[in-house]
Amino acid sequence: MSTCVFCEISAGRIPCTKLYENEHVLAFLDIGPISDGHTLVVPKAHYDRLHQCPPDVLAELGRVVGFLAEPVARAVQADGYNVLNNNGSAAGQVVEHVHVHIIPRKTGDGVFDRWPAYKYPPGKAEAIAEKIKKNLAR
Ligand code: 5GP
Ligand code: ZN
């Protein structure tokens, strides 16, 4: 069985620069930051993707992200921050243990410069919305 780096960190077998922990959630600095203070918040239990987390774990993860975001940003005099959660390799997920990035931002820092927005052709938004709503009923 392959080991999961965030399970190892949660269990204390791999060191991290710890910021906060409680029974369910751990927060530490990202080892490969894209800005100073780049933080990861993870459930201590292993789930590959966000939708696989039970609601109580998700709620606690969200609570801790909200609790940490401002102190993290203020520590590095950030002007703002992004909250990011990658799910699946297509979405840039490298570590397959749910984690939320808190990324402090400075005005004009150039991080996430490309945001490839476009417009839906007529009818497409409604068709997609219908499919999503059908999936909710599953
Ligand atoms: P992903 O692309 O999966 O959303 O992001 C994974 C993040 O985990 C990356 O930003 C990477 O730098 C970070 N990371 C990977 N291994 C370690 C580690 O051993 N310790 C810490 N602190 N961060 C890690
Ligand atoms: Zn894990």
Side-chain angles (χ1 to χ4, degrees), residues 45-110:
H46 183 98
Y47 306 96
D48 284 4
R49 299 192 187 185
L50 195 73
H51 66 272
Q52 293 163 338
C53 283
D56 58 329
V57 174
L58 261 187
E60 187 55 16
L61 196 63
R63 191 192 70 75
V64 173
V65 169
F67 170 68
L68 287 174
E70 191 275 339
V72 165
R74 184 155 41 94
V76 294
Q77 290 91 45
D79 303 310
Y81 56 87
N82 292 103
V83 170
L84 178 69
N85 162 241
N86 299 325
N87 292 272
S89 58
Q93 184 178 18
V94 174
V95 178
E96 290 222 327
H97 177 132
V98 168
H99 53 282
V100 177
H101 300 255
I102 301 173
I103 303 164
R105 299 292 307 280
K106 298 249 168 107
T107 304
D109 63 12

Side-chain angles (χ1 to χ4, degrees), residues 5-29 39-45 57 60-61 63-65 67-68 97-102:
V5 66
F6 291 171
C7 281
E8 292 299 296
I9 289 174
S10 295
R13 290 188 288 268
I14 291 179
C16 69
T17 308
K18 193 186 294 184
L19 302 174
Y20 174 85
E21 81 175 308
N22 66 25
E23 190 185 344
H24 300 294
V25 173
L26 174 68
F28 50 93
L29 290 181
T39 293
L40 299 175
V41 187
V42 309
K44 287 184 171 176
V57 174
E60 187 55 16
L61 196 63
R63 191 192 70 75
V64 173
V65 169
F67 170 68
L68 287 174
H97 177 132
V98 168
H99 53 282
V100 177
H101 300 255
I102 301 173

